[in-house]
Amino acid sequence: MLKVENLRKQYRSFLLDGITFTLPEGYILGFIGQNGAGKSTTIKCLTGVNPYDEGTLTVFGKDFRDHSLEILQDVGFSSGAMDCYPNEKVEKIGRAYGMFFKNYDNEKFLRLCKTFHIDPSKKVRELSQGMKVKLGIALALSHDAKLIILDEPTSGLDPVAREELLDLLQKIMEQGNRSILFSTHVTSDLDKCADYILFINDGKQILFDTKDNIIEGHALVRGKKEALTGSLKERLVGHKVTPIGFTGLMKRKDLRDNDDVETSVPTLEDIMVYYVKEEIVL
């Protein structure tokens, strides 16, 4: 469905370099990293907003550089709140959007509006920030896209609306012939729906694998200060020192039987925090 190899994009003060991953058909890829890590830059390259400098991008088995217009007909994209044309009604926005996509289905768009409790007769400026986010997602899902790219789709949504969106994504995946790239810094959303995880930081790729392999391949460790020896410290991905001890993240393959630590299963948030923050002293 989507294959990216050594994607590179140079800006004056930022370099996205070496991004490589594959998203098979029928799966959800969670794309994580702190603000400024390069997630939006990557997505802009994937959607043709900003051309990439080097690398290979293959979508639906076709090279993106040679077939971008054809490919984008089958890509749905949403990035945060829909703020364009604030004085136009939602129903008119839908019809205008549909002019660009051969498979646009206005009835499907209106059904999605109903699902998200969006009144099609309202003007965009009359919608709340959360409703504008849902409008962008409704548009992205309205033309039967095979690849759906969502950049921070749950930002601005309340817990109920976030749950509704995650349920909708799961229903889409049950159809079996679509894939979703889901960029977010709310890692708890990905605990519920992601199959694969791509983690980048400062323009560099840190991890790419199935979510289960990434979580099972790491251990959250804790122990007393005196247990934080030089040997143990060198094997930690990152750690936090407190007055009474330390906690840290380690690759499970680096654990030793004589390490004087307790271990537990990390969350995606734990993994992201400790890779970004090498040492935290409280």
Side-chain angles (χ1 to χ4, degrees):
M1 177 70 76
L2 172 62
K3 185 175 182 180
V4 178
E5 296 179 284
N6 295 315
L7 192 70
R8 189 177 193 274
K9 177 66 178 179
Q10 175 74 66
Y11 292 100
R12 180 176 298 177
S13 59
F14 181 78
L15 173 63
L16 183 76
D17 194 21
I19 307 302
T20 300
F21 66 93
T22 301
L23 174 56
E25 182 180 291
Y27 292 91
I28 296 177
L29 170 67
F31 190 13
I32 64 174
Q34 64 179 340
N35 292 336
K39 300 191 302 299
S40 292
T41 297
T42 303
I43 288 175
K44 286 176 181 177
C45 292
L46 299 183
T47 54
V49 175
N50 286 345
Y52 48 97
D53 298 329
E54 297 177 22
T56 303
L57 172 56
T58 307
V59 190
F60 315 133
K62 300 173 182 177
D63 183 83
F64 189 81
R65 290 191 191 276
D66 297 332
H67 302 276
S68 60
L69 293 179
E70 178 186 353
I71 287 169
L72 289 173
Q73 280 292 314
D74 290 315
V75 175
F77 172 67
S78 177
S79 176
M82 168 65 188
D83 284 319
C84 298
Y85 306 107
N87 293 316
E88 297 294 349
K89 293 183 178 180
V90 168
E91 56 188 355
K92 186 174 180 179
I93 292 289
R95 290 195 300 271
Y97 180 87
M99 295 172 63
F100 296 95
F101 296 95
K102 60 183 179 182
N103 292 325
Y104 174 76
D105 185 338
N106 195 59
E107 290 186 4
K108 183 175 184 178
F109 171 68
L110 293 176
R111 287 198 303 272
L112 287 165
C113 286
K114 184 176 181 180
T115 298
F116 288 142
H117 309 294
I118 302 170
D119 184 348
S121 67
K122 282 192 172 184
K123 294 181 178 180
V124 172
R125 62 179 169 80
E126 296 175 317
L127 302 178
S128 68
Q129 191 74 0
M131 286 294 182
K132 290 177 183 177
V133 172
K134 288 189 266 188
L135 173 58
I137 293 168
L139 290 169
L141 299 177
S142 65
H143 58 97
D144 202 29
K146 297 176 184 176
L147 173 62
I148 300 165
I149 299 177
L150 304 175
D151 190 7
E152 301 286 354
T154 58
S155 176
L157 296 183
D158 59 63
V160 174
R162 283 171 55 197
E163 194 68 28
E164 288 175 350
L165 173 60
L166 296 176
D167 287 344
L168 177 60
L169 297 184
Q170 292 288 10
K171 289 178 181 178
I172 292 170
M173 299 316 295
E174 288 171 5
Q175 300 174 17
N177 60 347
R178 288 171 172 77
S179 300
I180 297 174
L181 189 151
F182 187 146
S183 167
T184 184
H185 62 271
V186 184
T187 55
S188 58
D189 290 340
L190 301 179
D191 289 329
K192 301 174 184 178
C193 68
D195 303 295
Y196 290 85
I197 297 294
L198 172 64
F199 171 27
I200 69 173
N201 183 55
D202 196 24
K204 303 290 185 182
Q205 183 166 318
I206 305 300
L207 296 169
F208 169 67
D209 205 336
T210 65
K211 179 182 66 181
D212 291 344
N213 282 348
I214 288 176
I215 291 175
E216 292 168 6
H218 292 83
L220 201 60
V221 299
R222 59 176 52 86
K224 298 179 180 179
K225 275 188 176 182
E226 51 267 31
L228 191 59
T229 63
S231 172
L232 177 62
K233 191 173 181 179
E234 288 175 357
R235 287 177 281 126
L236 291 170
V237 170
H239 66 283
K240 176 173 61 179
V241 179
T242 69
I244 61 172
F246 77 94
T247 60
L249 184 75
M250 182 183 290
K251 294 179 181 179
R252 284 200 174 270
K253 65 181 180 63
D254 292 334
L255 275 170
R256 298 175 183 172
D257 292 338
N258 62 347
D259 286 332
D260 186 16
V261 296
E262 297 178 4
T263 65
S264 59
V265 178
T267 63
L268 288 174
E269 182 174 340
D270 291 327
I271 292 170
M272 188 171 81
V273 166
Y274 280 110
Y275 266 97
V276 172
K277 301 291 187 182
E278 294 184 359
E279 181 173 4
I280 306 170
V281 179
L282 299 180

